[in-house]
């Protein structure tokens, strides 16, 4: 039986939040991993993810097809994880998530490599969100070039180093009042480790070719419930101030230039107006984590393992009276 070490998997965007988890999952299964990133000199921390020589970091930029072609040369499987949550300079939604995905797919097709593409729940060509439109365009471009590609659409992901739970925990540490945008919008937070496992399973050949999977956690929660859970985990009592979408969009025109946890773009506000949950169609077709045989971890089970650092007493929590 052939060893996985004979299989070369190239991961575009492997240094990001999801990417580093995917690299670790692939290394545990003994694949050779080539990580294609814009700044390879900043991705040295990926080397200990595997055995000596198992992880190789190379330079590639999705806006330059020649660099993409060079990065996936001799690859057996290509995984595209590249995406941006907010635009900046040349890194626009269209350039990265639509045209960039197309560039990777065309190069994978030319190389005869199998492809896995990560999009997002909410990808919709008719969406008012430019992020969601670009995600849908990327999916269409990938399937046009590689009809057998497997596409994964995760809901909002959480885990150490995420820009979701850590962001609200950081805000709660700094402010006595938290703005609540889309408080009744439903989400299905999914643990990044479970998404990485699903992608590794697809590399193993366990996912359907040409299928689109929707990945959500075990619970459907409103935005209010998610923030309340984060506050409970971090042992903070904060007032939640609901913001109408109109006012939130107005404020986002200014906050899009803010640093760190205070950053909020108008497009992110638009996204918060729509539910972000696994569809009934995906459930019926078995195109979910459960369909892959993965038992999803909950926010309540995982988040305390890394959000404890935001508690006033650190890893210790106040005892109930």
């Amino acid at each position: 039986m052939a060893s996985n070490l004979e299989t070369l998997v190239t991961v575009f965007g492997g240094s990001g939040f999801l990417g580093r988890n995917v690299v670790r999952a692939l290394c545990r299964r003994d694949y050779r991993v080539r990580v294609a990133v814009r700044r390879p000199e900043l991705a040295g921390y990926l080397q200990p993810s595997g055995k000596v020589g198992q992880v190789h970091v190379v330079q590639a930029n999705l806006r330059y097809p020649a660099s993409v072609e060079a990065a996936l040369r001799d690859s057996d499987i290509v995984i595209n994880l590249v995406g941006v949550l907010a635009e900046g300079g040349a890194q626009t939604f269209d350039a990265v998530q639509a045209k960039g995905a197309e560039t990777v797919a065309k190069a994978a097709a030319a190389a005869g490599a199998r492809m896995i593409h990560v999009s997002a729940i909410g990808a919709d060509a008719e969406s008012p969100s430019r992020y969601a439109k670009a995600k849908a365009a990327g999916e269409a471009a990938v399937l046009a070039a590689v009809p057998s590609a497997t596409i994964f659409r995760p809901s909002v992901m959480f885990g150490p180093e995420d820009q979701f739970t850590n962001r609200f925990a950081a805000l709660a540490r700094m402010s006595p009042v938290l703005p609540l945008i889309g408080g009744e919008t439903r989400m299905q937070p999914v643990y990044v480790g479970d998404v990485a496992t699903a992608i590794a399973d697809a590399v193993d050949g366990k996912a359907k070719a040409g299928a689109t999977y929707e990945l959500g956690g075990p619970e459907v929660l409103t935005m209010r419930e998610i923030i309340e859970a984060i506050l409970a985990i971090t042992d903070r009592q904060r007032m939640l101030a609901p913001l109408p979408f109109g006012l939130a969009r107005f404020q986002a025109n200014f906050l899009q230039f803010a640093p760190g946890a205070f950053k909020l773009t108008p497009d992110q506000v638009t996204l918060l107006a729509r539910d972000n949950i696994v569809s009934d169609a995906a459930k019926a077709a078995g195109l979910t984590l459960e369909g892959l045989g993965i038992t999803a971890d909950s926010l309540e089970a995982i988040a305390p393992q890394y959000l404890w650092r935001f508690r006033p007493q650190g890893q210790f929590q106040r005892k109930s009276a």
Side-chain angles (χ1 to χ4, degrees):
M1 183 176 177
S3 166
N4 284 342
L5 283 173
E6 298 177 12
T7 301
L8 175 59
V9 184
T10 295
V11 184
F12 286 87
S15 63
F17 171 53
L18 173 59
R20 64 192 69 184
N21 284 273
V22 170
V23 169
R24 283 195 291 266
L26 294 174
C27 286
R28 286 195 292 268
R29 302 185 190 202
D30 290 333
Y31 287 102
R32 284 192 297 133
V33 183
R34 180 186 292 159
V35 183
V37 295
R38 284 192 302 151
R39 300 287 301 276
E41 71 276 11
L42 301 180
Y45 58 85
L46 292 172
Q47 298 293 343
S49 300
K51 302 179 181 72
V52 175
Q54 188 177 2
V55 178
H56 182 211
V57 182
V58 299
Q59 197 280 332
N61 188 323
L62 268 56
R63 293 186 288 112
Y64 299 94
S67 73
V68 172
E69 293 167 6
L72 60 73
R73 188 176 295 126
D74 298 323
S75 299
D76 298 291
I77 302 169
V78 176
I79 303 173
N80 180 39
L81 307 175
V82 182
V84 290
L85 295 174
E87 296 176 307
Q91 298 296 103
T92 65
F93 293 139
D94 185 59
V96 175
Q97 296 172 172
K99 293 178 182 177
E102 181 179 29
T103 297
V104 174
K106 286 182 175 179
R114 188 153 57 90
M115 183 165 180
I116 298 165
H117 175 68
V118 174
S119 181
I121 286 181
D124 182 358
E126 304 300 321
S127 173
S129 161
R130 290 184 294 108
Y131 171 90
K133 280 184 178 178
K135 283 291 188 181
E139 290 183 6
V142 166
L143 290 175
V146 187
S148 62
T150 299
I151 293 176
F152 288 109
R153 292 178 171 180
S155 184
V156 59
M157 290 182 286
F158 66 89
E161 302 165 338
D162 69 27
Q163 296 183 43
F164 180 53
T165 58
N166 282 285
R167 178 181 185 176
F168 287 110
L171 285 172
R173 187 164 59 181
M174 295 182 283
S175 173
V177 180
L178 297 183
L180 180 62
I181 305 169
E184 300 310 310
T185 299
R186 296 181 301 160
M187 297 187 176
Q188 202 164 343
V190 59
Y191 174 45
V192 66
D194 292 333
V195 177
T197 297
I199 293 170
D201 281 353
V203 171
D204 285 345
K206 297 178 182 177
K208 297 178 182 178
T212 298
Y213 287 78
E214 297 186 7
L215 310 181
E219 297 177 305
V220 173
L221 303 169
T222 65
M223 194 65 183
R224 176 184 289 275
E225 289 171 334
I226 292 171
I227 295 178
E228 288 175 343
I230 293 170
L231 291 174
I233 291 168
T234 57
D235 206 12
R236 303 275 181 179
Q237 294 183 350
R238 296 292 184 261
M239 184 174 74
L240 300 183
L243 277 183
F245 282 107
L247 178 57
R249 287 192 186 93
F250 175 76
Q251 292 185 347
N253 287 324
F254 305 97
L255 290 175
Q256 63 183 318
F257 305 109
F262 292 100
K263 187 180 183 69
L264 178 68
T265 70
D267 200 73
Q268 288 170 342
V269 174
T270 299
L271 283 171
L272 286 170
R274 289 193 174 187
D275 289 343
N276 195 273
I277 60 176
V278 174
S279 67
D280 291 335
K283 293 176 184 176
L287 301 176
T288 61
L289 284 174
E290 292 75 16
L292 289 168
I294 298 171
T295 300
D297 289 297
S298 68
L299 181 69
E300 183 181 14
I302 299 295
Q305 298 175 27
Y306 61 92
L307 288 184
W308 60 263
R309 64 194 180 94
F310 292 99
R311 293 173 183 160
Q313 291 83 21
Q315 69 181 44
F316 303 103
Q317 199 162 12
R318 278 195 292 258
K319 295 180 179 180
S320 301

